[in-house]
Amino acid sequence: MDTANQLASVGTFQVLKLPLGFIRVLEWLFAIFAFATCGGYSGQLRVSVDCMEKASSNLSIGIDFGYPFRLHQVAFEAPMCEAMRRERVFLSGDYSSSAEFFVTIAVFSFLYSLVATVVYIFYLNKYRENSQRPLIDFVVTVVFSFMWLVSSSAWAKALSDVKVATDPDEVQLLIPACKDPTNKCGSVHGPGWSGLNTSVVFGFLNFVLWAGNIWFVFKETSWHKGGSRLASSAPDKQAGTFDQQPYNQGSFDQSGSYSTQGSFDQPSEYSQVGGPTSYSNQM
Ligand SMILES: *[C@@H]1O[C@H](CO)[C@@H](O)[C@H](O)[C@H]1NC(C)=O
C-alpha cells in the first residue's frame, strides 16, 4: 500500500505509527540529546606543579572549561616556582565554530521536526492539499541530513582536538615552570568525555534519521505520486471541523444561566427548565 493512501486512511495520532511521523518524533528527541549533551557540557582537568622550592608548589590546580570550547580564553593560575609568585596561563585552541555550528543545527533541526510533527498530526490534509508543501518538506529534509553529516563530522574532529588540548599531560607543557626539569609536574585527572562522546553519537544518529526520512518524505511529493492527487483527504477534514461546534454552544448556554443564577431572582423559572440548571439550583 502506498504511504499516501495509508496516511489518508489513519486517524489523527495514528500518523505517528507511520515511518514519516515516527521518525520525525525521534528526530526532535535525538536533537535534544545532541544539543543538550554538547551545549550543556562542562569539564575539569587537574594538574600538579611540584616546585623545587616546596612552598610555592600547587599540587591541585583545577582548570574548568566547557561549551563553546574557546580554550584560548580559559585561564588558570600556575606557580612560577620562585618567590611564591603565580602567573596566568591560557589553554590553547578555539573550537567554538564547530561546537556552535553543531548546536545550531541541532536546535533548528529540533524546531523543524517538532513543527513538522504537529503539522502531520493536526494539519495533514492541509499539508497534502498543496503539492508544494511536501516538496518543501523534502528539500528541507535533504538539507538537514546534509547539515547533520557536516556538523557531526566537524564536531567529531573538533572534539578529538579538544581532547588533546585538555589532556593534563599536554596542559603541563603550557606551564613555564614545568619546562625547568627541577620542578615536577604531573596530571591529577583529566576531564570526563562521556557527555561529548554521546553528543557525537547522537549527531550521526540524527544524520541517519534525517537521511532515512528523505525516502518517506519523497513518497509524499508529487514527483513520487506522478501528479495524481488523491481525493481521499476530504472525509477526514469534514470530521475535524464538525465535532467541536455543538459542544461549544452548549458550554456558552450554561455559563449564561450560571451567571444569572447568582442573583437568585428567578429560582422557580429555572427549576422548570430541568437538566443542568435544576442541579445548580440546589446549591
Ligand atoms: C592552587 O590552585 C588553585 C586553583 O586551581 C587555587 O584555588 C589554590 O588556592 C592554589 N593553592 C595554592 C596553595 O596556591
Side-chain angles (χ1 to χ4, degrees):
M1 200 186 200
D2 188 71
T3 307
N5 284 321
Q6 285 177 27
L7 286 178
S9 63
V10 294
T12 306
F13 282 92
Q14 301 291 307
V15 168
L16 300 182
K17 288 185 181 166
L18 298 172
L20 178 66
F22 179 69
I23 294 175
R24 283 282 185 248
V25 171
L26 287 184
E27 279 169 2
W28 57 260
L29 282 176
F30 282 25
I32 294 174
F33 289 131
F35 69 70
T37 48
C38 177
Y41 179 84
S42 67
Q44 193 198 51
L45 67 135
R46 214 166 258 280
V47 294
S48 64
V49 179
D50 191 3
C51 303
M52 255 269 277
E53 188 190 321
K54 294 290 178 199
S56 53
S57 300
N58 189 337
L59 300 179
S60 184
I61 304 168
I63 304 160
D64 299 307
F65 67 97
Y67 179 83
F69 307 100
R70 286 195 183 89
L71 299 182
H72 66 302
Q73 291 177 358
V74 174
F76 61 97
E77 297 281 331
M80 290 176 75
C81 291
E82 49 170 77
M84 303 293 290
R85 280 161 61 200
R86 293 197 281 175
E87 64 187 328
R88 258 170 108 72
V89 179
F90 288 85
L91 297 182
S92 67
D94 180 2
Y95 305 97
S96 60
S97 59
S98 298
E100 285 171 344
F101 179 46
F102 181 77
V103 169
T104 304
I105 295 302
V107 169
F108 280 106
S109 161
F110 162 73
L111 292 175
Y112 184 82
S113 50
L114 186 63
V115 168
T117 308
V118 171
V119 168
Y120 298 159
I121 293 176
F122 297 107
Y123 305 100
L124 186 61
N125 299 313
K126 277 214 166 80
Y127 170 84
R128 299 182 58 239
E129 240 165 41
N130 183 335
S131 66
Q132 278 203 335
R133 285 167 195 156
L135 223 62
I136 292 168
D137 198 16
F138 174 76
V139 171
V140 172
T141 304
V142 170
V143 169
F144 266 116
S145 22
F146 178 70
M147 286 303 194
W148 270 115
L149 181 62
V150 172
S151 68
S152 300
S153 308
W155 171 229
K157 170 74 176 82
L159 177 57
S160 73
D161 293 343
V162 168
K163 284 177 178 174
V164 172
T166 58
D167 182 338
D169 294 327
E170 293 292 320
V171 172
Q172 286 169 38
L173 305 176
L174 302 170
I175 302 172
C178 296
K179 286 175 182 129
D180 184 342
T182 58
N183 305 318
K184 289 190 171 53
C185 297
S187 70
V188 181
H189 67 75
W193 296 118
S194 56
L196 294 183
N197 291 338
T198 307
S199 74
V200 170
V201 170
F202 274 104
F204 284 109
L205 278 178
N206 268 296
F207 162 67
V208 171
L209 284 178
W210 283 85
N213 223 2
I214 289 175
W215 168 244
F216 297 107
V217 184
F218 175 71
K219 284 170 103 178
E220 284 294 306
T221 63
S222 49
W223 292 330
H224 180 259
K225 288 174 185 169
S228 66
R229 304 299 306 159
L230 293 145
S232 50
S233 58
D236 267 2
K237 195 186 176 186
Q238 282 175 352
T241 50
F242 119 108
D243 60 30
Q244 292 284 336
Q245 222 48 13
Y247 292 100
N248 284 344
Q249 283 169 1
S251 65
F252 274 115
D253 288 345
Q254 283 197 353
S255 68
S257 67
Y258 276 111
S259 60
T260 49
Q261 196 69 22
S263 63
F264 290 104
D265 281 344
Q266 312 151 308
S268 57
E269 216 183 304
Y270 272 87
S271 58
Q272 287 167 357
V273 179
T277 39
S278 63
Y279 167 76
S280 66
N281 211 21
Q282 291 164 4
M283 302 198 330

